[in-house]
Short mmCIF file of all heavy atoms in Angstrom, two decimals:
data_model
loop_
_atom_site.label_atom_id
_atom_site.label_comp_id
_atom_site.label_asym_id
_atom_site.label_seq_id
_atom_site.Cartn_x
_atom_site.Cartn_y
_atom_site.Cartn_z
N PRO A 78 103.28 88.40 125.75
CA PRO A 78 103.93 87.12 125.54
C PRO A 78 104.13 86.31 126.80
O PRO A 78 104.12 85.10 126.79
CB PRO A 78 105.27 87.51 124.91
CG PRO A 78 105.02 88.80 124.26
CD PRO A 78 104.03 89.51 125.17
N CYS A 80 102.14 85.77 129.13
CA CYS A 80 100.95 85.02 129.59
C CYS A 80 100.64 83.80 128.74
O CYS A 80 99.79 83.02 129.05
CB CYS A 80 99.71 85.95 129.61
SG CYS A 80 99.03 86.29 127.98
N VAL A 81 101.38 83.59 127.64
CA VAL A 81 101.06 82.52 126.73
C VAL A 81 101.09 81.17 127.40
O VAL A 81 100.23 80.31 127.17
CB VAL A 81 102.00 82.56 125.50
CG1 VAL A 81 101.83 81.33 124.65
CG2 VAL A 81 101.74 83.80 124.69
N GLY A 82 102.07 80.93 128.27
CA GLY A 82 102.14 79.68 128.99
C GLY A 82 100.88 79.40 129.80
O GLY A 82 100.34 78.28 129.82
N LEU A 84 97.99 80.53 129.12
CA LEU A 84 96.84 80.32 128.21
C LEU A 84 96.79 78.92 127.64
O LEU A 84 95.87 78.58 126.92
CB LEU A 84 96.90 81.36 127.07
CG LEU A 84 96.66 82.80 127.54
CD1 LEU A 84 96.82 83.75 126.38
CD2 LEU A 84 95.30 82.94 128.17
N ALA A 85 97.76 78.09 127.96
CA ALA A 85 97.74 76.69 127.49
C ALA A 85 96.52 76.00 128.09
O ALA A 85 96.09 74.93 127.57
CB ALA A 85 99.00 75.96 127.93
N TRP A 92 91.89 77.40 120.80
CA TRP A 92 93.21 77.28 120.21
C TRP A 92 93.13 76.94 118.74
O TRP A 92 93.80 77.60 117.89
CB TRP A 92 94.04 76.18 120.91
CG TRP A 92 94.83 76.67 122.07
CD1 TRP A 92 94.64 76.35 123.35
CD2 TRP A 92 95.96 77.59 122.06
NE1 TRP A 92 95.53 76.98 124.15
CE2 TRP A 92 96.35 77.74 123.39
CE3 TRP A 92 96.60 78.26 121.07
CZ2 TRP A 92 97.40 78.58 123.77
CZ3 TRP A 92 97.69 79.10 121.42
CH2 TRP A 92 98.08 79.25 122.77
N LEU A 96 94.56 79.50 115.93
CA LEU A 96 95.74 79.15 115.11
C LEU A 96 95.38 79.05 113.65
O LEU A 96 96.15 79.37 112.78
CB LEU A 96 96.34 77.84 115.62
CG LEU A 96 96.96 77.95 117.04
CD1 LEU A 96 97.42 76.59 117.50
CD2 LEU A 96 98.12 78.94 117.07
N CYS A 104 104.10 84.86 118.79
CA CYS A 104 104.72 84.25 119.93
C CYS A 104 104.24 82.86 120.23
O CYS A 104 104.67 82.29 121.24
CB CYS A 104 104.51 85.14 121.15
SG CYS A 104 102.75 85.25 121.62
N PHE A 105 103.43 82.28 119.41
CA PHE A 105 102.85 80.97 119.78
C PHE A 105 103.70 79.80 119.34
O PHE A 105 103.36 78.64 119.58
CB PHE A 105 101.42 80.81 119.21
CG PHE A 105 100.48 81.69 119.93
CD1 PHE A 105 100.13 82.93 119.47
CD2 PHE A 105 99.94 81.29 121.15
CE1 PHE A 105 99.27 83.75 120.16
CE2 PHE A 105 99.08 82.05 121.85
CZ PHE A 105 98.74 83.34 121.36
N GLU A 106 104.85 80.05 118.67
CA GLU A 106 105.70 78.96 118.21
C GLU A 106 106.15 78.12 119.39
O GLU A 106 106.27 76.91 119.28
CB GLU A 106 106.91 79.52 117.50
CG GLU A 106 106.58 80.29 116.26
CD GLU A 106 107.71 81.09 115.74
OE1 GLU A 106 108.81 81.01 116.33
OE2 GLU A 106 107.55 81.79 114.73
N LYS A 107 106.39 78.73 120.54
CA LYS A 107 106.92 78.02 121.68
C LYS A 107 105.84 77.72 122.74
O LYS A 107 106.09 77.19 123.78
CB LYS A 107 108.05 78.82 122.32
CG LYS A 107 109.22 79.05 121.40
CD LYS A 107 110.26 79.89 122.03
CE LYS A 107 111.38 80.15 121.06
NZ LYS A 107 112.34 81.07 121.54
N ALA A 108 104.62 78.14 122.45
CA ALA A 108 103.54 77.94 123.43
C ALA A 108 103.07 76.52 123.41
O ALA A 108 102.85 75.93 122.36
CB ALA A 108 102.38 78.88 123.12
N PRO A 109 102.85 75.93 124.58
CA PRO A 109 102.31 74.56 124.60
C PRO A 109 100.85 74.55 124.18
O PRO A 109 100.13 75.46 124.44
CB PRO A 109 102.46 74.17 126.07
CG PRO A 109 102.50 75.45 126.81
CD PRO A 109 103.09 76.45 125.87
N MET A 110 100.46 73.54 123.48
CA MET A 110 99.08 73.41 123.03
C MET A 110 98.23 72.78 124.15
O MET A 110 98.70 71.89 124.86
CB MET A 110 98.97 72.49 121.81
CG MET A 110 99.54 73.16 120.55
SD MET A 110 98.59 74.60 120.08
CE MET A 110 97.06 73.85 119.57
N ALA A 111 97.04 73.24 124.28
CA ALA A 111 96.09 72.60 125.21
C ALA A 111 95.69 71.24 124.72
O ALA A 111 95.60 71.02 123.51
CB ALA A 111 94.85 73.53 125.36
#
Side-chain angles (χ1 to χ4, degrees):
C80 76
V81 172
L84 292 176
W92 271 112
L96 293 175
C104 65
F105 288 96
E106 297 167 3
K107 298 178 184 172
M110 289 296 291

